[in-house]
Amino acid sequence: MDNRLWDGGGNRDMMRWPANREPLASLFDSSVGRKGGGFIPCGVCSVESGREQWAVCPHRLLALDVLNPSPQQRPLRDRVLKLAGFCEGDTVQVWSEVTLRDKYVNYRLDYVLRNGSAPPCIVEIMTASTSGGNKEKRTDMRSAFCDAVFYATGRLTERRNSPGVNTRQVWARMASQIIVKSEIANKWGGRAIWVVQDTLMSYIGAQTGLNLDKLRSASWKAGEINVISASLTSPSDFSLYSGPVHARFPGDACWTDLLRAPAIPQQEALVKKLTDETMAAHFTFQEDMP
């Protein structure tokens, strides 16, 4: 999509195939293995789950360290650069996967953008990830990729299943980072921009106490958390969200609502599952006195 070699996101070791190992070795040009450091990247950039298409590689949604982005990514890239404060003709300095570490924090930043000596802008790309899958059923990513290649080359006549989408793990990881990284960038006088796929954004809005309607914003404000939601199927379709980390007044929407439950279920929903048949252990507590 962006003319970059797929890197497997956070599961790089699980998402690559040794370039000299059959049955895939003979199906790929040797240059693929050389560029991949001796491996064939399992180039799955998106998967379908139900009726939705989910990006599982951040490069599928946006890559900022390419000189000539694809037509599909150019609208999003240009919008991000404008929101970061760049104007036509400005020089955009880009660093990728920068480690920010001291005795207090230890984070990796997807991208850091800078114009000369201006405060840095942090850009984070959030997409879904895949579940581990089942090797015996060939639903792990490497097996699924292998079968997809076989299907494309006519060696398999039927499509195979891929791993499922693990959205819960992604937003749980995002919950703490979106606050910490944004507060750091704001304190520096810069800003952090979070680029999130629209399907993932909708999932977050449904599974947490975050009220996206109240955070939707036509213009962003300095010192807040800023998110741009982007679509895979409609490259020019964006939604902007902006708001404070903490609520200024009772009832105001804020990004710490990301850590809240969307609603509190009735206690009976749990109690009715607590039967003798489901009990894992039953014993009498007796404290050992020293």
Side-chain angles (χ1 to χ4, degrees), residues 72-253:
Q72 291 83 356
Q73 290 197 1
R74 184 173 289 275
L76 178 57
R77 187 204 67 159
D78 292 350
R79 178 62 67 89
V80 168
L81 293 180
K82 289 181 179 179
L83 292 170
F86 291 95
C87 300
E88 186 78 21
D90 285 348
T91 297
V92 183
Q93 299 169 301
V94 182
W95 292 265
S96 63
E97 296 193 359
V98 180
T99 299
L100 178 63
R101 179 183 301 155
D102 63 14
K103 63 179 182 179
Y104 300 109
V105 298
N106 185 0
Y107 288 106
R108 175 167 291 183
L109 311 177
D110 288 348
Y111 296 101
V112 177
L113 310 181
R114 207 172 186 192
N115 182 6
S117 59
C121 175
I122 297 172
V123 179
E124 295 289 315
I125 315 296
M126 294 301 300
T127 56
S129 64
T130 57
S131 58
N134 187 309
K135 290 185 178 181
E136 293 184 0
K137 296 181 179 180
R138 297 189 66 80
T139 57
D140 63 291
M141 184 56 80
R142 291 212 306 177
S143 299
F145 174 74
C146 182
D147 289 344
V149 173
F150 286 167
Y151 178 78
T153 56
R155 301 190 181 194
L156 280 179
T157 57
E158 296 181 355
R159 292 179 180 269
R160 298 290 178 87
N161 293 326
S162 69
V165 177
N166 193 344
T167 49
R168 185 170 301 176
Q169 182 187 54
V170 173
W171 82 253
R173 186 175 72 249
M174 173 184 173
S176 62
Q177 295 192 27
I178 193 172
I179 295 173
V180 173
K181 292 180 179 179
S182 296
E183 286 188 326
I184 291 172
N186 293 338
K187 194 67 175 181
W188 289 342
R191 65 175 48 182
I193 298 176
W194 290 77
V195 182
V196 184
Q197 187 186 351
D198 54 357
T199 50
L200 178 58
M201 201 69 188
S202 298
Y203 176 87
I204 293 171
Q207 297 292 319
T208 71
L210 196 65
N211 191 326
L212 292 178
D213 289 337
K214 289 186 177 181
L215 292 172
R216 191 182 294 268
S217 174
S219 60
W220 290 356
K221 298 178 181 179
E224 298 195 339
I225 292 179
N226 302 313
V227 176
I228 179 169
S229 175
S231 169
L232 288 183
T233 55
S234 301
S236 299
D237 185 13
F238 311 121
S239 296
L240 305 181
Y241 300 92
S242 180
V245 175
H246 307 285
R248 299 186 180 95
F249 302 99
D252 283 357

Side-chain angles (χ1 to χ4, degrees), residues 5 16-21 30-41:
L5 192 67
R16 57 186 190 173
W17 188 281
N20 58 359
R21 182 188 297 177
S30 59
S31 62
V32 175
R34 289 195 299 271
K35 292 180 180 178
F39 293 90
I40 300 169

